Amino acid sequence: MTAPGGPAATRADEDHGTGGDAGDKSGLRTALAGLTTRGRSFLAAGVAAAVCAYVLGQSDLLRVGLLLAALPLVCAAVLYRTRYRVAGSRRLAPARVPAGSEARVHLRMDNVSRLPTGLLMLQDRVPYVLGPRPRFVLDRVEAGGRREVSYRVRSDLRGRYPLGPLQLRLSDPFGMCELTRSFSTYDTLTVVPRVEPLPSVRLSGEAKGYGDGRQRSLALAGEDDVIPRGYRYGDDLRRVHWRSTARYGELMVRREEQPQRARCTVLLDTRYLAFHGAGPDSAFEWAVSGTASVLVHMLERGFSVRLLTDTGTSVPGEGSDGFAGVSQESADSAGIMMDTLAVVDHSDGAGLSRAYDVLRGGHEGLLVAFLGDLDEEQAAVVAKMRQRSGAAVAFVLDSVAWARGADGGAPVQRTEERLRMLREAGWTAVAVAPGRSVAALWEQADRERTAVGPAPSTGTTGGWS
């Protein structure tokens, strides 16, 4: 089998090997175990007829009984000795799909032997959540021939689901015996959270080509010296830094002015105690989907983005600061973070202190947080995060209201108190009611920020202007 989108199939021999007496006995037992209900019935009827013929002294009945008993045994032996050499491949289109969307799985079987095959029953193993197990009946495949079939899979639950291994069920023409041959490899379908397009709001600190807040930076070590780098073929010799060349013993050049991408950190609260309920419509799944939507939106705007969880895990984690490096394309960064969100689950942690520690460096740019239920202590930790970012937007979910299926009225008093604490610390805090879309709340956060006015400058860049 090939990996998703692989260019060629891996040859797999559906061929029974012959190896000593022990192997033959084991294979014969396997063949006899593959007798179908019809085959077992014929065998039982033949044995019964033979016994009755012996007791009654009826030679004609004995011949009938031997014929009935021998037919399934001969079919099992012939099927056991049948050698099919086939190659199978599987292709997913696409291999990564949003929750609730369909993917198509294409299967191809090639007969790589010089003899035609008999009737083949093809079966692929899929998890129950993706739908029923697909089964196909393939007619005689000529030598060097090929058969292609496909089926669809769909899941409302994000995750990584194995597909395979592919199985071939061989059957004799009389339906007396069936044997199963399996390929050894499988593929993986990744179901990522739903991504909702977000409206554009004015953001500062964007990279060149993405807005008016472009910045440039020089790699300086004090006011007198420039941090050099090794000479590369094609560098202008006028940029050679002779002092560093003498110090390191190799040709060094001054760094050029480097464009600096605006930064955005998206914090996802995954604490088990912060969310109630489960399923596609739960508060936690909404938070995961909202996180995915913001990540994709900010990458499209040209930001250097990272995903941060309450456990302190930073994705993609390239470099010391955990942001997507300049060597990574936006599509690659989005793929890494979406794959992480596809399998993210509740954490056992009770606090957000580890996420706060990750933000210790400051100059974090824009901070967007999706938070569950907060007690007073955790609200205070979140409030301090604002001091280490250029601007901060929090979407606070009242998971109890989500579990009750409330219709989106005013937040309960406890949630309102937590929102007030965050707003006093400089956050743009929005309560997330059941049924609200991420896009609508994104616009609401922009309106609330505009109404309150920009937060006092903290010396950082890349925030919500």
Side-chain angles (χ1 to χ4, degrees):
M1 305 299 291
T2 60
T10 301
R11 178 171 299 181
D13 295 342
E14 296 305 302
D15 181 280
H16 174 74
T18 57
D21 294 338
D24 289 341
K25 292 179 180 179
S26 176
L28 289 175
R29 285 195 296 267
T30 302
L32 293 177
L35 290 175
T36 63
T37 302
R38 179 184 300 177
R40 295 176 187 272
S41 300
F42 267 68
L43 181 60
V47 172
V51 172
C52 293
Y54 177 78
V55 173
L56 300 177
Q58 297 292 328
S59 58
D60 294 337
L61 182 59
L62 178 61
R63 286 192 289 269
V64 173
L66 292 177
L67 177 62
L68 293 177
L71 182 58
L73 297 178
V74 171
C75 290
V78 171
L79 192 62
Y80 167 71
R81 290 296 179 180
T82 299
R83 288 173 169 82
Y84 290 144
R85 296 176 60 86
V86 296
S89 65
R90 180 190 296 105
R91 180 172 59 87
L92 306 181
R96 183 190 294 122
V97 296
S101 300
E102 289 185 346
R104 182 168 288 276
V105 183
H106 299 269
L107 303 176
R108 192 179 82 176
M109 300 300 300
D110 295 273
N111 183 10
V112 297
S113 66
R114 298 181 178 179
L115 298 176
T117 69
L119 186 68
L120 299 178
M121 287 177 284
L122 185 64
Q123 176 177 280
D124 205 8
R125 298 184 62 181
V126 301
Y128 175 77
V129 69
L130 296 182
R133 179 172 297 182
R135 295 181 175 89
F136 306 93
V137 178
L138 304 181
D139 291 332
R140 177 179 177 274
V141 182
E142 64 280 4
R146 174 190 305 172
R147 297 290 185 271
E148 295 184 2
V149 293
S150 65
Y151 64 93
R152 295 178 295 178
V153 291
R154 179 181 182 274
S155 174
D156 293 327
L157 300 175
R158 56 186 175 81
R160 292 174 62 87
Y161 301 102
L163 300 179
L166 193 63
Q167 294 179 332
L168 282 176
R169 298 178 64 188
L170 312 179
S171 177
D172 66 279
F174 300 102
M176 297 290 180
C177 183
E178 289 183 356
L179 295 181
T180 301
R181 299 284 189 262
S182 297
F183 290 84
S184 59
T185 58
Y186 62 91
D187 297 321
T188 301
L189 175 69
T190 303
V191 180
V192 300
R194 296 183 181 92
V195 174
E196 185 175 343
L198 301 182
S200 297
V201 296
R202 186 179 180 185
L203 303 170
S204 66
E206 299 183 18
K208 181 178 180 181
Y210 298 94
D212 299 329
R214 177 176 59 89
Q215 304 171 33
R216 301 184 71 85
S217 64
L218 283 171
L220 300 178
E223 299 179 356
D224 301 326
D225 198 11
V226 178
I227 295 178
R229 62 169 174 82
Y231 175 82
R232 299 172 185 169
Y233 179 77
D235 284 338
D236 190 346
L237 291 178
R238 290 174 295 182
R239 292 174 45 218
V240 174
H241 195 261
W242 298 108
R243 185 185 304 174
S244 298
T245 299
R247 179 186 305 171
Y248 294 104
E250 61 176 317
L251 204 59
M252 307 292 289
V253 297
R254 291 185 294 270
R255 292 180 183 269
E256 293 180 335
E257 192 178 17
Q258 300 291 333
Q260 180 178 351
R261 299 180 70 185
R263 292 179 171 183
C264 175
T265 298
V266 183
L267 171 62
L268 174 62
D269 182 6
T270 64
R271 294 172 299 136
Y272 179 78
L273 298 176
F275 295 93
H276 302 275
D281 298 327
S282 64
F284 181 69
E285 293 301 323
W286 190 98
V288 174
S289 178
T291 300
S293 301
V294 173
L295 287 172
V296 172
H297 177 75
M298 301 307 290
L299 282 172
E300 291 175 350
R301 296 291 300 273
F303 277 66
S304 181
V305 180
R306 70 173 172 182
L307 168 65
L308 180 64
T309 66
D310 60 291
T311 62
T313 303
S314 181
V315 180
E318 180 180 304
S320 59
D321 55 5
F323 285 87
V326 295
S327 61
Q328 288 180 298
E329 299 292 340
S330 295
D332 296 333
S333 302
I336 294 173
M337 290 183 283
M338 293 298 285
D339 287 346
T340 302
L341 290 176
V343 296
V344 70
D345 202 355
H346 291 292
S347 68
D348 296 331
L352 297 163
S353 58
R354 282 180 286 184
Y356 173 74
D357 292 338
V358 175
L359 300 173
R360 63 183 179 274
H363 299 277
E364 299 295 337
L366 176 63
L367 175 60
V368 182
F370 289 84
L371 307 169
D373 294 334
L374 299 173
D375 55 23
E376 186 174 357
E377 178 182 358
Q378 299 308 314
V381 173
V382 175
K384 290 189 296 182
M385 293 180 184
R386 171 63 182 85
Q387 303 172 2
R388 300 185 174 184
S389 63
V393 182
F395 298 96
V396 183
L397 290 85
D398 183 0
S399 63
V400 176
W402 279 76
R404 292 197 308 261
D407 56 1
V412 298
Q413 181 179 0
R414 178 180 174 180
T415 303
E416 190 61 51
E417 292 176 356
R418 305 298 179 251
L419 293 173
R420 178 179 54 81
M421 290 180 61
L422 298 182
R423 289 164 181 162
E424 290 177 352
W427 283 80
T428 300
V430 179
V432 179
R436 295 294 302 276
S437 67
V438 183
L441 292 171
W442 188 252
E443 289 183 325
Q444 179 182 341
D446 180 52
R447 290 194 301 268
E448 292 188 7
R449 175 202 57 81
T450 305
V452 174
S457 175
T458 59
T460 58
T461 59
W464 191 296
S465 64

